[in-house]
Amino acid sequence: MTVREPIAVVGLDCRFPGARDAQEYWSLLMDGRDGTQRVPGERWDADRHHAAVPDAAHTAPEARPAGRSNTVRGGFITDPDAFDPGFFGIAPREAAAMDPQQRLLLQSSWRAIEDAALAPQDLAGTDTGVFVGVMANEWAFLQLADYDRITARHGSGNGYFMGANRVSYHLDLKGPSLAVDTACSSSLVAVHLAVNSLRAGECDHALAAGTNLIMTPVINIFYTQAGLSAPDGRCKPFSAAADGIGRAEGVAVLVLRRLSDALADRQPVYAVLKETGINQDGRSNGITAPNRFAQQQLIESVWRRAGVTADDIRFIEAHGTGTLLGDFIEAQALGELTSGRSGGSVALGSVKSNFGHAEGAAGIAGLIKAVLALHHRTVPPSRFADDENPKLDLAGRRLSLLKSPLRLPSGTVHAAVSSFGMGGSNAHAVLASAPRSVHRGRHPAPGVFTLSARTPERLRANLLAQADALARRPESQLAQLCWTSNRVKSRMPYRAAVSAADLPTLIAGLRKAAERAEQTARADRGRRGPSVAFAFTGQGSQHPGMTASWYRSCPAYAHHLDEIDKLLAPHVHRSVRDAVLDGDADADRARLAQPALFAVGYALAATLTEAGIIPSAVIGHSIGEFAAACAAGALDPADAARLVARRGALMDELPEDGGMLAVSLEAAEVELLLAGRERLFVAAVNGPRGTVVSGDLAELGSLEALLVERGVPVRRLAVSHAFHSPLMRPVVEEFRRECADVSDRRPALPVFSTVHGREPTGEETLDADYWARQITEPVRFAEAAGALLASGVTHVVEIGPRAVLTPLLSRLRADGGHAVSLHSAHPGEQAPGHRPQQLFGELWCAGLTPDWNLLYADADRVPRRLPPYLFDESFRSWRSGAAPAGPESSAPAVPLDADTTAVPSGADSGERRPPVPVGDVPDSLAALTRRLVCRIGGHDPRQVHDDDRLHEDLGFDSIRVMELKTRIEDALPQLGRLPIEDLLASLRTVADLVGYLRGQLADGGAPAVPVTAEGTR
């Protein structure tokens, strides 16, 4: 049989006793620590259900106290009910009804996917499979014992199947989704099924998981009655002190891919699954007794299919429960395969020695131990190795318990993992170390690190976690780490972006961002998508070396500047690009300044457009209108390059006896001052108290002196001529002829003309007459920009080498009350060397979604692992095993009329609020609507906002919508029966629902519509 496609472990997350994540798990193993503890008080009263049975295995069953466990210890995780329901769009009431195992699986799945350097949102809609091993369902026992308290939420909150199905639902995964219960081998069997699904092509990614939660003493009592329970609650595998099982719990998720796919994507790989297999004991000495020969046959079969022998296996993670019979049979089965190996012994261990038997999660606990051992190339020591059971003859079987860590050699190393179920379902896996791959990034290379969270408080916590982690990373990975953050961490509403050219600066920036995280505004996610306008800067904004940082650090910009330079060179007779980057002494002369500004504007706009920042409107100031026309599709770049070069050359030939003066007065006031000054003209009106005068240098000087004497702020512009004045008329006809053969194309998007002061209408086009007229006409920027801002754009990006228009737009925005986000592509000479990265971060924080790849060379687009998301753990919902019929200890009963988040799953008994009298409308319809929404979902009213989406943010599924419909009809009986199809169409946000109800009330109520359980008919 040929060796089949290897499967890569590309991501993982876990929580086990004494370890909240994989890093703590590895530390627990390497330190050889004990993760067990006394039964926590919220689980059950351990003393009440305890009776000492010193040697349960040798005590007659009738002598074992009924209903009692012989231990008060076990392996428990902390805060098992901690959950972040809002993160997954789950209403608090629904979360309270969910089995905590579902909650743990959701969060662990998200973190595992992020650990794989993938954004969970990128897997949405894909054929990703979910395979969950689970054997405990004690939540259902506690929740469903009181029939009168059962609600619709309890159906989806319980059941093995929902462990997998809920992950698939909330992450929108379309591949196989199933739960597996083969008792203690459940999670390793789930891994086997995931491996086969990947190989069969049913899915391209698979989540293989295991979960176990101990909520009652039932299994403890069973183990005690069966003589299987260790009195001290600890497993001691292969030890002379072995005296039974100590129970444990935990959750773990692996992200699996075909190795070839992972390597093709340069994805980090922990280890490789070479082969897996399962079988059954059949008829052994008892249904719960292990079968040595079945175990041996399975291991032989898996090794053969993996193409390995005992000589290749360096260590084995055994099932190793610490029962005398189980350890003996497993040692026999392994020994038949290992006793004849050449070389030394095979290292043998079991993670159960560290915290106990995690039952449904036991197999994946051992698998992750093996994966991490191969990843770190070190096998952790085994607890109790100093007291090896001599009756097992491990040395004779070429097996050895590790008393200290074992360093693995270089090259490919193999390991094996076993997991056996109480009912006889066995699973085994062979692993190999990951193939070596080196992906060195450019050094130094800048980047922008992005991080997002659901709330400002979570943003702060995650920023600090990332800063701590980056402090341990090599400098050469800066750009790769930033690129990974852009890909993985950039989809939530509260955002922070830090650009840097070195790691210390980045780390300091993340910590500083954490300090101001509470003031972070929510990125715009309105129902109407963002609308971006480009504003192209005019002459006077040029400066030496302008946008050099873009050329150095953004490959896409360099490409576009090179391309436009090729179109300009035949007309300018030199490289405009070189003049721009080198700071040419002639940069202020029209013949060079105008082509240079056009080239920079064109390249910046093309780069942002390629990055997905696509303009829906443009505006240009003076020479900026040419690049704006190109962005709008009204001018071909080749034509524009020719026209701009000719325009600058013609103007440069005029006498240099003119200049321009910016005056802080209204245009009307300036006009009065110009009366009698025949060679001075208004050249631009940029805004209130923002007028530019153009004309003869001598007269301009006289005006300047007068204004200074009167205390009026003025500023000379760095220009060579009196642009936008009648002094430019000598070049107009020549330029008109130059424009004659330019095609008269309609722009593909709105152009707000600074000649007209508005968007062209009717037959007005950007034809030869327009471009000729533009030379002498004043720039009516304030009017055109006001029309632009009023058009509904949400973002304006200034395209040019200096922030000239942004301050003008800011004043116009304030005066007009427009909610517009303003940005400058390149703020000027003081712009940092990583300005492109900085701008992309600014635009992303403002709600846009740039294509981050444009900022990075191919060598820097390599995924690197970053710490996964830190969830909000303030939500709690638990039921104590001590009193199955009682309410949750951490979620006391709450009346339905109360507005609170602490709502127990059983409190929703269907009571209705007294109706508002017919003809009366509440003082605030919005307040009533929000109160009903909060009551049904159990939300804190302080955390519910008008733009919250009822489905995605507040967890309103079809059941909740029907309940909301009923509550609204009760509260507002004058509406009659609301058509469910209308209500669904109006349920995007809380504000939409309020608007719909207000409209219904204004119309005098809705017509009665018969309603069935499924909706209208």
Side-chain angles (χ1 to χ4, degrees), residues 349-418:
S350 170
V351 73
K352 296 178 182 66
S353 67
N354 291 91
F355 51 72
H357 186 358
E359 297 164 348
I364 203 165
L367 183 62
I368 290 180
K369 175 186 172 182
V371 165
L372 292 177
L374 290 168
H375 176 64
H376 293 289
R377 304 197 78 85
T378 303
V379 184
S382 294
R383 283 173 53 80
F384 310 109
D386 290 331
D387 190 20
E388 181 181 310
N389 186 348
K391 296 179 181 179
L392 300 180
D393 188 23
L394 295 181
R397 293 183 164 103
R398 294 292 183 92
L399 299 168
S400 64
L401 298 178
L402 293 178
K403 298 179 180 180
S404 60
L406 171 67
R407 185 67 183 170
L408 296 173
S410 59
T412 302
V413 178
H414 292 91
V417 179
S418 291

Side-chain angles (χ1 to χ4, degrees), residues 31 161 189 191 356 594 664 682 696 702 789 906 923:
D31 295 344
F161 65 97
V189 171
V191 171
Q594 293 189 17
S664 294
V682 172
D696 177 78
S702 173
L789 295 176
D923 291 340

Side-chain angles (χ1 to χ4, degrees), residues 613-885:
I613 310 299
I614 300 172
S616 56
V618 296
I619 185 173
H621 194 289
S622 186
I623 189 66
E625 283 204 303
F626 286 87
C630 287
L635 267 183
D636 181 78
D639 286 336
R642 175 173 59 84
L643 296 181
V644 166
R646 185 59 178 152
R647 185 180 190 267
L650 287 170
M651 291 182 178
D652 201 57
E653 294 169 0
L654 291 174
E656 296 184 22
D657 57 357
M660 303 181 79
L661 182 71
V663 180
S664 294
L665 290 175
E666 298 287 347
E669 296 176 89
V670 173
E671 290 280 8
L672 291 175
L673 288 171
L674 297 186
R677 300 175 187 269
E678 296 181 356
R679 291 178 61 81
L680 291 184
F681 312 91
V682 172
V685 181
N686 293 325
R689 305 184 68 81
T691 309
V692 177
V693 176
S694 179
D696 177 78
L697 281 175
E699 291 196 27
L700 203 62
S702 173
L703 176 65
E704 181 178 12
L706 174 64
L707 293 172
V708 169
E709 183 180 343
R710 294 184 180 182
V712 177
V714 296
R715 179 175 57 87
R716 282 289 184 111
L717 302 187
V719 296
S720 56
H721 293 80
F723 300 116
H724 296 285
S725 77
L727 299 186
M728 309 305 294
R729 283 175 183 159
V731 305
V732 169
E733 291 309 314
E734 175 92 15
F735 189 64
R736 191 192 308 275
R737 288 191 292 273
E738 188 73 34
C739 298
D741 61 347
V742 174
S743 59
D744 181 13
R745 292 195 301 196
R746 291 280 179 179
L749 49 89
V751 176
F752 287 82
S753 163
T754 52
V755 172
H756 299 303
R758 54 172 169 73
E759 186 179 357
T761 59
E763 298 302 315
E764 295 174 338
T765 61
L766 305 185
D767 55 12
D769 287 338
Y770 179 88
W771 295 117
R773 179 184 172 192
Q774 193 232 27
I775 292 176
T776 57
E777 287 289 315
V779 179
R780 299 167 65 181
F781 180 77
E783 294 176 69
L788 170 69
L789 295 176
S791 70
V793 295
T794 58
H795 302 72
V796 179
V797 183
E798 181 174 358
I799 306 295
R802 181 184 281 126
V804 174
L805 303 182
T806 302
L808 305 178
L809 289 164
S810 180
R811 288 193 288 271
L812 291 167
R813 176 185 61 180
D815 291 342
H818 304 292
V820 180
S821 179
L822 303 178
H823 308 272
S824 175
H826 194 77
E829 297 92 330
Q830 304 306 314
H834 46 80
R835 177 56 191 166
Q837 290 75 15
Q838 193 179 59
L839 176 67
F840 274 46
E842 289 175 9
L843 295 175
W844 170 73
C845 286
L848 301 180
T849 307
D851 179 357
W852 304 100
N853 286 341
L854 267 71
L855 295 176
Y856 303 93
D858 181 69
D860 294 325
R861 295 200 291 269
V862 175
R864 296 288 182 183
R865 289 195 182 90
L866 294 168
Y869 188 81
L870 296 179
F871 292 97
D872 179 357
E873 297 189 341
S874 59
F875 175 89
R876 294 286 193 277
S877 179
W878 187 257
R879 280 184 178 272
S880 170

Side-chain angles (χ1 to χ4, degrees), residues 819-965:
V820 180
S821 179
L822 303 178
H823 308 272
S824 175
H826 194 77
E829 297 92 330
Q830 304 306 314
H834 46 80
R835 177 56 191 166
Q837 290 75 15
Q838 193 179 59
L839 176 67
F840 274 46
E842 289 175 9
L843 295 175
W844 170 73
C845 286
L848 301 180
T849 307
D851 179 357
W852 304 100
N853 286 341
L854 267 71
L855 295 176
Y856 303 93
D858 181 69
D860 294 325
R861 295 200 291 269
V862 175
R864 296 288 182 183
R865 289 195 182 90
L866 294 168
Y869 188 81
L870 296 179
F871 292 97
D872 179 357
E873 297 189 341
S874 59
F875 175 89
R876 294 286 193 277
S877 179
W878 187 257
R879 280 184 178 272
S880 170
E888 299 92 335
S889 61
S890 58
V894 177
L896 283 175
D897 287 343
D899 292 327
T900 177
T901 56
V903 182
S905 57
D908 190 2
S909 59
E911 298 178 28
R912 294 182 175 180
R913 178 183 175 88
V916 175
V918 176
D920 291 347
V921 178
D923 291 340
S924 171
L925 182 63
L928 170 65
T929 305
R930 183 174 298 184
R931 187 162 60 246
L932 294 177
V933 167
C934 292
R935 182 174 299 117
I936 292 168
H939 297 283
D940 182 346
R942 295 166 299 180
Q943 302 300 320
V944 175
H945 308 287
D946 287 346
D947 62 349
D948 281 336
R949 299 164 296 178
L950 284 135
H951 176 66
E952 295 93 333
D953 299 323
L954 302 180
F956 270 68
D957 57 14
S958 57
I959 295 174
R960 248 59 67 191
V961 170
M962 288 300 299
E963 184 178 352
L964 179 61
K965 172 183 179 297

